[in-house]
Structure formats: structure tokens, C-alpha cells
Amino acid sequence: MRKVFVMTLALVLALASCSFADGVKIGAGIYRFNDAFMLRFRNAMTAESEKLGATIEIADGRDDQNTQDAQIDGFLSGDVNVLIVNLVDRMAAQSVVDKAKSANIPVVFINREPSLEVLNTYDKAYYVGAKAEESGVFSGQLIAEYFKSHPEADKNHDGKLQFILLKGQNGHQDMILRSKHSVETIRDAGIEPVELASAIANWDKLEAMKIMNAFIMSIGPENIEAVIANNDEMALGAIEALKAQDYNTGNPEMYIPVVGVDANASALEAMDRGEMLGTVLNDADNQGIAAVRLAVALAGGKDISAAGYPVTDGKYIWIPYQKVLTSER
Ligand code: GAL
Ligand code: CA
């Protein structure tokens, strides 16, 4: 009797652990493969799908919404059970939701957040991501704490912080909210922020480097007290431009604190070399894992509560950001 029970239990456990996602096919659209942070995200989704026994096909939207729309049409007319979509254009969310709804296929949006209004038009539409506002607050704190603990950082001794802001793609919630909250957080910390210049560099290192070069030439590096970048790639581009002027290469007299967001490996290395002040961990691994777990649950006919994460407004799974500072590494 006891033996039979133990054997049955073992069988049940074995079945439960291996196969609840077997046969599930996920169709995923990424806004652009050539993006350091989204590469981490993709790798996490692939690994988690493999782990759960699901199949995932990932398409490169090549930064073009028409291309992505065609890829989604392809997924929906094929045999995928669920979609994961990193929109090229957040404003295209409704049309993707409408298509998924008429095909009765659940859709999990990632990284580019549709409005709650749009999500509410389909009971099988959800979002997995990180709160943009939180990352803005953290990067503002990194700069404010540095400014307070390093009086020499106020180069012109006016008690204010003269900064440059490098922004991500236009219309992206991370571009809008990181820009807003980083600066507001500095002000809330009792330091008056003065924007010397700002520009959109589309999350891109090379673009940011060129823009920063132009700012350095027109403003003079000695007048810049901080660089706030909406992501690490742009922070690294700014650092390249600074290094070309012998800034941020080890001489404490010639140092400008630069912060980014993501905590990509290349940024952590720049921090270890003392070239970059800090970053904010944008947790690609846990966002990727959560997106796949949710997709698999939905494909199995369950709802968002089955994914195993806290749920907000019945529609959102939020993965927290974390501050990462040079001195803590
Ligand atoms: C942000 C990330 C950026 C970029 C962007 C793409 O969350 O910080 O580096 O990957 O997403 O949408
Ligand atoms: Ca100043």
C-alpha cells in the first residue's frame, strides 16, 4: 500500500515537473534585435522556454512597425498558441490587440507599455515590465548622492547641478518617465538641476557619442557637472566622447559623473574601470522569465494569477529595478 502510494507520488511529481508547457508554441516579436538590453531579454525568454519545454520563435522587427505587423500576422495564421510582443511603436498596441483577439490568441506585451485602456479591450492581453518611474528616481538618487558627498562636483560653486540629458526613443515610456523623474528626484533632494542641453539618442551608443561630442565642443567639458542617460548604451557613448577629451580616465580633476540604466555587462565593466558612476538594474532575466511563464499559463487556458507573480490591476506583472553604484561593486 505504502509502496504504491510512494510510486504514484513519484509519477505525479515527475509529470508535474516536466510537461505542463509541452507543445506550447510562443510567437515573439522584438522591436529590434540590435539592442543590448533586448538581447539579454531574448536570451532569458529562450532559456525559460527551453526549461519549461515550450517552443519559442522570435522575430526581429528591425525597428519598423510594418515589419513587425507582418510578423505578427504570420504567427497568428500559423500555429502559435500565444504571442509575446515588444512593440516597435507603442501606439500600435490596439491594432495588435484587435488581431490577437479575433484569432483568440493571448498576448503578453513586454518592455513597451500599452495603455491600460488598450489592455482592457481584451481579457487575454497583459503586460510584463518594469516601472519606468522607478528607474528615473534611482538614477536621480545616484547623481544627487554623489553631488552631496563630493563638494568638488559643483565645479562652478553655484550650489546647482549643471547636467546633460541623453534620451531614448521618442514616445517610449522609459524615455519620458526616466527623463522626468531623474531630474525631479535631484530637485527633491534639495539640489537645483540646471539642464545645459538634452537630446534624443535613441538608446544608441554611437548616436550618443556624436551628440555628446557636439555638446562638449559647444559647452566645454569643464562646465558639465553630470550626464544623465536614459540607458547604459547612451551613457557609454557619452563616456567615449569624454575619454577622447581625457575625461573619466582616472584623473580626479577631470571626471564627470555619468549614470545610465540597464546594468548591461559593458556598463558594469566601465564602472569597474571607474569611468562610469552608476546604473540601475533593469532586470531582463526576471522580466523574460515572467513573460514566458505568463505566456505558458495563458496558452494553457489559465489567467494571469497562474503565472506565479503579484498582479496589478489584473493586467500587469512588475519586476523591480535596483540601484547599482560603482563603490558597491
Ligand atoms: C529600455 C532599455 C533600453 C532599450 C529599450 C528598448 O527599457 O533601458 O536600453 O533596450 O528598453 O525598448
Ligand atoms: Ca554647479
Side-chain angles (χ1 to χ4, degrees), residues 163-167 178-180 182-183 195 197-200 215 226-230:
F163 70 95
I164 281 177
L165 179 63
L166 296 172
K167 303 187 203 175
R178 287 176 189 167
S179 298
K180 176 170 185 265
S182 54
V183 176
E195 185 182 288
S198 77
I200 288 181
F215 287 161
V227 178
I228 303 168
N230 283 171

Side-chain angles (χ1 to χ4, degrees), residues 40-54:
R40 285 167 53 202
F41 210 124
R42 273 194 281 148
N43 289 340
M45 292 199 299
T46 306
E48 185 64 11
S49 301
E50 234 163 68
K51 193 176 142 197
L52 298 181

